[in-house]
Amino acid sequence: MPRVVSNQRAKFENDEIFRKLSRECEVRYTGFRDRPLDERQLRFQTECREGHADLAFVATGTNLQLQFAANAWSDRAEDRVSTREFVNFDREPGKVHLKSQFILNGVCVVWRGWIDLVRLDGIGCLEFDDERAEAEDALLREQIEEYNRRLREFEERQRQYRQEQERQAESEAEVVQALLRIAEPPSHPLTQPPP
């Protein structure tokens, strides 16, 4: 199953949800809502340092489970590392600046934003991820080529099977015709009744 759509940029630019989320708007930490604020603040900072957090776009109610790690696309956990590019507590006092790469509705995107460490809200938006989109498009083309190759092989096997079945049916028909000729009594002029 392909992870991305065939024309990611067009979908990003034309889809209503992407148009809304690509504008900077208010975001909020949504984890541990039942806990006191001081505990939520501590858990948020811990989650960011671990490389993940649950955030929501307030205006649309869109909830995201973000991963803040370089090489987020790698299948190996040891490749996905949280770096200062993705989680930066030092850029502004009292805020953490975050970046996350992922695929949303078949489109490669980057979430960028900041969260106030006291209020647990801030500003964020989605951007189209050109670099990752190209890599995913290449993977999509490879998947399509592999699918088409397998489809051609299947169709060729089906064609060969049908031809073999036809040859076998023809052979059986010839054997039946031969047996019928043998089973027919010979027609001699002497054995025929007079007119």
Side-chain angles (χ1 to χ4, degrees):
M1 180 78 171
R3 299 185 332 169
V4 295
V5 296
S6 58
N7 192 346
Q8 295 181 63
R9 181 169 290 286
K11 182 166 183 176
F12 183 81
E13 292 171 352
N14 298 318
D15 192 300
E16 183 66 27
I17 189 75
F18 287 114
R19 282 202 305 260
K20 287 179 182 177
L21 300 180
S22 65
R23 292 183 222 118
E24 285 191 348
C25 57
E26 185 180 357
V27 293
R28 186 170 291 147
Y29 173 64
T30 59
F32 303 97
R33 286 187 226 172
D34 60 333
R35 308 305 305 159
L37 181 60
D38 57 338
E39 183 180 340
R40 291 185 73 224
Q41 292 166 342
L42 181 61
R43 286 184 186 250
F44 172 68
Q45 290 182 38
T46 302
E47 285 182 1
C48 287
R49 286 187 174 86
E50 291 172 352
H52 62 91
D54 295 343
L55 299 174
F57 286 93
V58 175
T60 62
T62 304
N63 290 283
L64 301 171
Q65 293 180 325
L66 300 177
Q67 302 292 317
F68 312 117
N71 302 316
W73 310 105
S74 177
D75 293 332
R76 297 175 25 194
E78 59 270 11
D79 289 345
R80 297 186 299 270
V81 180
S82 185
T83 66
R84 185 170 274 182
E85 176 188 359
F86 294 88
V87 178
N88 190 337
F89 285 95
D90 301 326
R91 190 164 156 190
E92 279 185 78
K95 295 180 181 177
V96 60
H97 286 261
L98 301 168
K99 174 182 171 182
S100 179
Q101 299 172 297
F102 56 98
I103 297 172
L104 177 65
N105 294 347
V107 178
C108 295
V109 294
V110 175
W111 184 94
R112 289 184 199 276
W114 58 266
I115 301 291
D116 183 286
L117 296 174
V118 175
R119 295 188 329 259
L120 299 179
D121 63 7
I123 300 294
C125 68
L126 289 182
E127 300 170 359
F128 184 68
D129 190 346
D130 282 309
E131 184 179 323
R132 192 63 207 171
E134 287 178 24
E136 288 292 328
D137 281 340
L139 287 172
L140 176 62
R141 284 190 298 276
E142 287 175 15
Q143 286 177 329
I144 290 171
E145 288 173 16
E146 176 67 14
Y147 171 78
N148 288 336
R149 183 187 63 77
R150 287 183 176 180
L151 185 59
R152 284 190 301 272
E153 288 175 357
F154 175 75
E155 288 171 347
E156 178 62 23
R157 284 194 305 272
Q158 288 292 97
R159 187 185 61 76
Q160 290 174 352
Y161 175 78
R162 281 191 303 273
Q163 287 176 344
E164 181 61 33
Q165 292 297 318
E166 288 171 6
R167 281 194 293 270
Q168 186 175 354
E170 288 173 4
S171 296
E172 290 173 0
E174 288 175 7
V175 167
V176 168
Q177 289 296 327
L179 289 174
L180 287 174
R181 280 192 298 269
I182 293 172
E184 282 183 7
S187 59
H188 294 286
L190 299 174
T191 59
Q192 290 183 355

